[in-house]
Amino acid sequence: MTEKMLGEQALQLPRTEARRWRHTPLDQEELVADGNLALAKAAKRYDPSYDVPFTAFARPYVRGAITDAGRARARRESLGDGTYAD
């Protein structure tokens, strides 16, 4: 399978993982974009001989990228007293 086909197979994964951050003031579409980049990275590194479905292989990449981006944005926007700047 080509990288493009693998990416299309798991296209819902970044949106699903970004939903875990829906309770925060972070922009969901930015998190999805970060997840899409991680999905492309996972597609490049995937080897079908692993005998693991691509979605299961890509999930840690996507979840990690979204978590890192969410934490970085939250740190930048935090005012230090538990509130966030808009």
Side-chain angles (χ1 to χ4, degrees), residues 4-31:
K4 182 178 178 184
M5 290 172 63
L6 289 172
E8 290 173 355
Q9 179 183 0
L11 203 51
Q12 83 290 350
L13 189 58
R15 189 160 304 281
T16 301
E17 291 299 323
R19 257 187 245 130
R20 298 174 72 216
W21 289 78
R22 69 184 176 275
H23 61 282
T24 67
L26 302 174
D27 183 27
Q28 289 290 297
E29 292 305 314
E30 288 181 9
L31 295 176

Side-chain angles (χ1 to χ4, degrees), residues 1-63:
M1 253 185 191
T2 66
E3 292 171 15
K4 182 178 178 184
M5 290 172 63
L6 289 172
E8 290 173 355
Q9 179 183 0
L11 203 51
Q12 83 290 350
L13 189 58
R15 189 160 304 281
T16 301
E17 291 299 323
R19 257 187 245 130
R20 298 174 72 216
W21 289 78
R22 69 184 176 275
H23 61 282
T24 67
L26 302 174
D27 183 27
Q28 289 290 297
E29 292 305 314
E30 288 181 9
L31 295 176
V32 170
D34 292 325
N36 284 332
L37 291 174
L39 188 63
K41 187 178 190 179
K44 288 182 180 179
R45 294 184 178 184
Y46 180 70
D47 184 357
S49 68
Y50 294 153
D51 287 333
V52 173
F54 175 68
T55 306
F57 178 82
R59 185 176 311 274
Y61 283 87
V62 173
R63 184 174 287 174

Side-chain angles (χ1 to χ4, degrees), residues 72-86:
R73 288 189 184 108
R75 239 182 272 120
R76 276 196 309 266
E77 295 173 8
S78 176
L79 297 175
D81 61 355
T83 60
Y84 290 88
D86 289 330

